[in-house]
């Protein structure tokens, strides 16, 4: 006999307001609805303001990926002005953005994601008491140490950009907060200290040793090779994740997108991806096949979103967003729009970045077992090991005698866009300037991709798709659904934006 049930979960411990509703049969998820339930109006606020105002307002879209929004806004104005920032300005934009990503990856993993692993549902696991001592919210040792250490890495953004969050030091043509040699020295020291803690505590080995791991078999050998590997945060996470089955849930739709981020400045020793001047290359991966990325192929649909309908999808430069209703009329259930690439829903974030960049370990894990909560979270945990060496190089290549600004002139008319990699993945801002003021502004944030509702064809968003087939053992404590959703690191304040022309 089938036992049908609908479970609604207001998701706490994400940023912003997210509600998940799943239909289960015999405890197995058959359908899922992912709903952004907070209305925001940031893009609306931008319309009619001076072009440079987006550098102050756009970073306030969010308190955790604020530097990413500043980067995208500044890049969008760079393209309107047709100005190229000098290489040192690119370095200083990148380093602050990377510091924000590094703190996010470690904070999300242990302050938001890992709390579910201390859930009483796992009392029977042999690793439960250790999980509790590490991850118990507000009390676990890892939780407390992560709060202390990540605070320090954010000082890098404050030194380079004047404050965190919501700094506005990037401008079209470069940056306006010029670093002194002593600032640069402080940043180098902060990253050196953070790297040494990350190696000792998170990796359990040096970054160089970690980079030797190129396959699932290498990973298992590394795990057995030393006590420090097994007891480090990654080693413990892997053992626990396998013990409770996180390697078998949360597959998603197996399409991945990255807009490309962290431009490679001229003259640097840091190498970018093949044929791309980005440390984090752009691309689209469909069922394991990676294709070149073309921003023209992005559209947003609103069939299930609380906006007035339009036919099919619109490119963000033509995006039109008219708030419609807040009920369930015409099957609508979210303030998030539904972004599509070539008509397909796609996942973004560290896992997408690593698949598209050809990371051998992550690629091998996905080839063997497909995407899962475990590999998605592992990709996030190891991203700092890729970012920190490049941060160190870019800091050492910069001095106060560098050039940080090329004048863009007055921004009178034009269209532009800025595409970058935010902590949660692909971020784009599209802007049109007329008579020196902002005439049109659209944002597609990473969580808009991941938390997308369905489109006109009924195609689910990646988080919805990842829930399908999951078994909920206790409907009063649906911890499995928490793992799946939080593995995407959703941020709803970034996701919901509204423009109203009238
Ligand atoms: Ni509000 Fe953000 C990131 C952006 S998320 S956190 O990363 O853009 O969708």
């Amino acid at each position: 006999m089938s036992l049908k049930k609908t479970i609604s979960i207001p998701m706490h411990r994400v940023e912003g307001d997210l509600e998940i509703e799943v239909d289960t049969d015999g405890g197995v998820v058959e359908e899922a609805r992912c709903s952004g339930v907070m209305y925001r109006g940031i893009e609306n606020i931008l319309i009619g303001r001076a072009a440079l105002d987006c550098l102050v307002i756009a970073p306030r879209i969010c308190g955790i990926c604020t530097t990413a929004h500043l980067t995208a806004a500044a890049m969008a104005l760079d393209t309107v002005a047709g100005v190229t920032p000098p290489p040192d300005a690119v370095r200083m934009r990148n380093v602050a953005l990377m510091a924000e990503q590094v703190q996010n990856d470690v904070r999300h993993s242990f302050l938001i994601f890992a709390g579910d692993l201390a859930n009483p549902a796992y009392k029977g696991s042999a690793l439960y008491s250790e999980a509790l001592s590490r991850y118990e919210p507000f009390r676990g040792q890892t939780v407390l140490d992560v709060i202390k250490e990540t605070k320090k890495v954010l000082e890098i953004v404050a030194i380079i950009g004047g404050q965190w969050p919501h700094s506005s030091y990037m401008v079209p043509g470069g940056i306006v907060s010029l670093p002194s040699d002593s600032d640069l020295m402080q940043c180098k020291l902060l990253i050196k200290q953070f790297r040494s803690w990350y190696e000792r505590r998170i990796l359990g080995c040096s970054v160089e040793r970690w980079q030797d791991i190129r396959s699932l078999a290498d990973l298992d050998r590394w795990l057995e090779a030393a006590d420090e590997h097994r007891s480090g945060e990654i080693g413990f996470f892997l053992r626990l994740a396998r013990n409770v089955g996180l390697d078998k849930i949360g597959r998603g739709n197996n399409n991945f997108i990255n807009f490309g981020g962290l431009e490679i400045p001229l003259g640097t020793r840091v190498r970018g991806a093949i044929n791309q001047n980005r440390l984090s290359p752009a691309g689209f991966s469909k069922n394991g096949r990676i294709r070149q990325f073309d921003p023209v192929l992005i559209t947003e649909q609103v069939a299930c979103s609380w906006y007035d309908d339009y036919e099919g999808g619109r490119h963000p430069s033509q995006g039109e967003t008219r708030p419609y209703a807040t009920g369930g009329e015409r099957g609508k259930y979210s303030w998030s729009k539904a972004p599509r690439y070539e008509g397909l829903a796609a996942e973004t974030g560290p896992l997408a970045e690593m698949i598209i960049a050809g990371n051998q370990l992550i690629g091998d894990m996905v080839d063997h077992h497909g995407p899962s909560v475990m590999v998605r979270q592992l990709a996030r945990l190891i991203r700092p090991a890729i970012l920190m060496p490049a941060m160190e190089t870019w800091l050492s290549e910069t001095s106060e005698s560098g050039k940080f600004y090329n004048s863009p002139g007055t921004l009178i008319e034009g269209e532009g866009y800025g595409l970058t990699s935010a902590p949660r993945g692909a971020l784009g801002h599209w802007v049109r300037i007329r008579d020196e003021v902002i005439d049109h502004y659209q944002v597609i944030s990473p969580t808009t991709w991941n938390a997308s509702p369905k489109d006109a064809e009924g195609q689910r968003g990646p988080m919805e798709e990842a829930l399908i087939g999951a078994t909920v053992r206790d409907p009063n404590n649906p911890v499995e659904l928490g793992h799946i959703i939080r593995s995407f690191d959703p941020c709803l304040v970034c996701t919901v934006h509204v423009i109203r022309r009238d």
Side-chain angles (χ1 to χ4, degrees):
M1 190 182 74
S2 83
L3 186 60
K4 292 191 181 282
K5 196 173 178 64
T6 295
I7 308 173
S8 297
I9 322 166
M11 283 304 273
H12 307 303
R13 281 203 343 268
V14 298
E15 192 167 338
D17 298 61
L18 172 64
E19 287 184 10
I20 302 292
E21 194 174 76
V22 294
D23 301 333
T24 60
D25 190 352
V28 176
V29 176
E30 289 191 320
E31 189 51 275
R33 289 168 292 281
C34 191
S35 185
V37 290
M38 181 176 58
Y39 174 93
R40 303 197 81 214
I42 301 275
E43 291 155 321
N44 200 21
I45 290 168
L46 286 164
I47 307 297
R49 295 189 181 253
L52 298 188
D53 282 7
C54 66
L55 304 170
V56 178
I57 294 170
R60 284 162 171 82
I61 287 172
C62 181
I64 190 84
C65 64
T66 172
T67 312
H69 285 288
L70 175 63
T71 307
M75 290 173 79
L77 294 184
D78 286 341
T79 59
V80 171
V83 65
T84 305
D88 283 332
V90 174
R91 288 183 177 91
M92 291 299 97
R93 287 182 177 187
N94 286 349
V95 169
L97 180 57
M98 293 154 96
E100 186 172 273
Q101 292 184 340
V102 165
Q103 66 83 28
N104 180 83
D105 292 347
V106 179
R107 274 190 187 177
H108 169 268
S109 296
F110 298 107
L111 307 189
I112 293 187
F113 177 84
D116 287 336
L117 292 166
N119 189 292
Y122 298 126
K123 269 186 178 154
S125 160
L127 298 172
Y128 182 68
S129 65
E130 191 171 352
L132 205 59
S133 73
R134 291 181 189 239
Y135 302 153
E136 189 183 358
F138 305 113
R139 296 169 67 166
Q141 198 52 52
T142 310
V143 170
L144 298 178
D145 290 349
V146 162
I147 292 170
K148 194 169 104 208
E149 298 297 329
T150 51
K151 226 159 105 175
K152 289 192 232 158
V153 82
L154 279 173
E155 286 177 30
I156 293 174
V157 189
I159 291 167
I160 293 175
Q163 67 182 59
W164 188 91
H166 311 322
S167 106
S168 295
Y169 77 105
M170 300 181 202
V171 292
I175 63 170
V176 286
S177 162
L178 308 185
S180 67
D181 283 341
S182 133
D183 291 338
L184 293 163
M185 183 73 80
Q186 274 189 60
C187 292
K188 275 188 253 185
L189 188 63
L190 284 163
I191 198 66
K192 188 173 167 201
Q193 285 170 341
F194 188 82
R195 176 174 170 161
S196 128
W197 175 81
Y198 174 85
E199 289 181 319
R200 198 174 63 250
R201 186 63 184 273
I202 307 288
L203 290 183
C205 67
S206 67
V207 164
E208 290 76 12
R209 172 69 184 90
W210 179 264
Q211 282 163 348
D212 282 343
I213 303 172
R214 293 170 205 277
S215 66
L216 188 52
D218 281 355
L219 182 69
D220 287 332
R221 272 192 294 274
W222 169 87
L223 201 52
E224 294 306 320
D227 283 348
E228 302 81 59
H229 300 175
R230 292 172 61 75
S231 63
E233 294 299 340
I234 286 187
F236 181 71
F237 166 72
L238 288 170
R239 290 189 289 129
L240 182 57
R242 285 169 169 167
N243 183 265
V244 302
L246 300 192
D247 51 340
K248 297 183 183 64
I249 58 171
R251 179 183 168 86
N253 59 13
N254 210 17
N255 299 329
F256 296 95
I257 193 160
N258 190 22
F259 291 171
L262 304 170
E263 183 186 340
I264 300 289
L266 276 178
T268 183
R269 282 179 283 126
V270 175
R271 297 272 68 86
I274 298 166
N275 298 329
Q276 290 196 33
N277 69 335
R278 294 279 190 275
L279 187 63
S280 172
F284 178 70
S285 168
K286 182 171 183 251
N287 291 326
R289 296 195 46 198
I290 299 168
R291 311 189 206 157
Q292 212 176 340
F293 167 72
D294 182 350
V296 168
L297 301 175
I298 300 168
T299 55
E300 284 194 297
Q301 298 199 19
V302 294
C304 292
S305 312
W306 284 311
Y307 303 102
D308 267 353
D309 286 315
Y310 50 71
E311 269 300 297
R314 295 252 172 104
H315 187 264
S317 63
Q318 307 298 322
E320 183 142 315
T321 316
R322 296 177 195 270
Y324 167 72
T326 54
E329 302 92 334
R330 306 207 301 259
K332 291 175 182 285
Y333 61 90
S334 181
W335 283 114
S336 174
K337 289 190 192 174
R340 297 292 181 259
Y341 184 81
E342 283 186 327
L344 295 170
E347 172 178 343
T348 192
L351 176 60
E353 284 178 21
M354 289 192 197
I355 287 173
I356 288 163
N359 181 287
Q360 289 171 301
L361 168 62
I362 296 295
D364 193 47
M365 290 177 81
V366 171
D367 284 349
H368 273 88
H369 299 297
S372 66
V373 166
M374 185 178 90
V375 74
R376 190 173 291 119
Q377 199 59 35
L378 179 66
R380 183 169 295 114
L381 269 169
I382 64 175
R383 186 166 56 175
I386 296 167
L387 297 178
M388 286 190 289
M391 291 171 78
E392 289 169 335
T393 305
W394 282 331
L395 283 166
S396 71
E397 289 175 347
T398 311
S399 82
E400 64 185 17
S401 57
K403 185 173 183 207
F404 297 94
Y405 180 67
N406 286 325
S407 173
T410 308
L411 296 167
I412 299 170
E413 298 272 339
E415 284 193 58
Y417 61 91
L419 304 180
T420 189
S421 52
R424 287 158 190 74
L427 170 66
H429 285 206
W430 285 259
V431 64
R432 186 166 62 234
I433 308 292
R434 250 190 214 143
D435 297 331
E436 299 186 29
V437 300
I438 297 168
D439 176 60
H440 184 259
Y441 208 97
Q442 283 271 282
V443 173
I444 304 183
S445 80
T447 301
T448 322
W449 288 95
N450 291 336
S452 158
K454 295 177 189 66
D455 55 28
E457 286 77 46
Q459 183 184 191
R460 299 182 189 99
M463 277 163 46
E464 292 178 337
E465 190 62 44
L467 290 164
I468 305 301
T471 301
V472 182
R473 276 167 294 214
D474 175 3
N476 296 314
N477 180 19
V479 64
E480 305 83 0
L481 308 185
H483 293 313
I484 293 171
I485 294 302
R486 292 193 181 99
S487 72
F488 286 88
D489 191 1
C491 172
L492 273 292
V493 298
C494 276
T495 303
V496 178
H497 306 281
V498 171
I499 294 180
R500 232 174 132 161
R501 283 172 191 282
D502 57 355

